[in-house]
Amino acid sequence: MGKAKRVCSDLYGYDKIKENRNLGKRIGVLIRVVDKKIEFVVQWLKEQAEQAGAKGLLVGVSGGVDSAVTAFLIKKAFPTSSLGVILPCESAEEDRQDALAVVRAAGIDHVEIDLTPTFQTLSQSVKKRNLYHYQYTLADATGHPIS
């Protein structure tokens, strides 16, 4: 038994070394499967953009997991033609910062348009017209009812 193997065996036990080796193989297989899935989605994005006559893609970025994954996928599909759109609407500053962190990490360009004034104008217009009889409940961006 070599010195490194003996040290590992002494520290962790030989069974642990074998277990870790098997775990490493399983992780390697998992990584290959995930890479294939990513390539499938990236190819699909390219095809959809081509069919639409688009030269790139954009994603609405909230800072959540879904939009973060999508931001990285569109960057992979269109490395120089990807755009993140951040549309805060009565949002917490932390949410805006999360969205900015996503576009920076993904390496995509971004634009930010605050929809708060537009939303407030719309909700005031609905209130003035007394359109509540449609059984709609107005809610803010976080889903909380607006009184």
Side-chain angles (χ1 to χ4, degrees), residues 44-82:
W44 181 82
L45 288 170
K46 288 177 180 179
E47 290 168 6
Q48 297 304 305
E50 183 180 330
Q51 288 176 12
K55 293 179 173 42
L57 294 172
L58 66 83
V59 58
V61 181
S62 65
V65 173
D66 295 342
S67 65
V69 169
T70 305
F72 280 88
L73 289 170
I74 70 168
K75 174 66 175 188
K76 191 165 178 67
F78 291 92
T80 59
S81 301
S82 300

Side-chain angles (χ1 to χ4, degrees), residues 7 12 18 21-22 37 40 46 54 62 64 69 78 85 99-100 111 137 141-142:
V7 169
Y12 305 108
K18 269 178 80 176
R21 221 179 276 151
N22 290 334
K37 298 286 186 188
F40 176 83
K46 288 177 180 179
S62 65
V69 169
F78 291 92
V85 181
L100 288 170
V111 295
T137 302
T142 63

Side-chain angles (χ1 to χ4, degrees), residues 126 129-136:
V126 169
R129 291 178 176 217
N130 197 19
L131 296 177
Y132 289 110
H133 64 279
Y134 288 107
Q135 298 180 351
Y136 295 121

Side-chain angles (χ1 to χ4, degrees), residues 90 115-128:
E90 296 185 350
L115 296 179
T116 300
T118 303
F119 176 75
Q120 289 171 343
T121 301
L122 175 64
S123 61
Q124 289 304 316
S125 177
V126 169
K127 284 179 186 177
K128 284 180 186 173

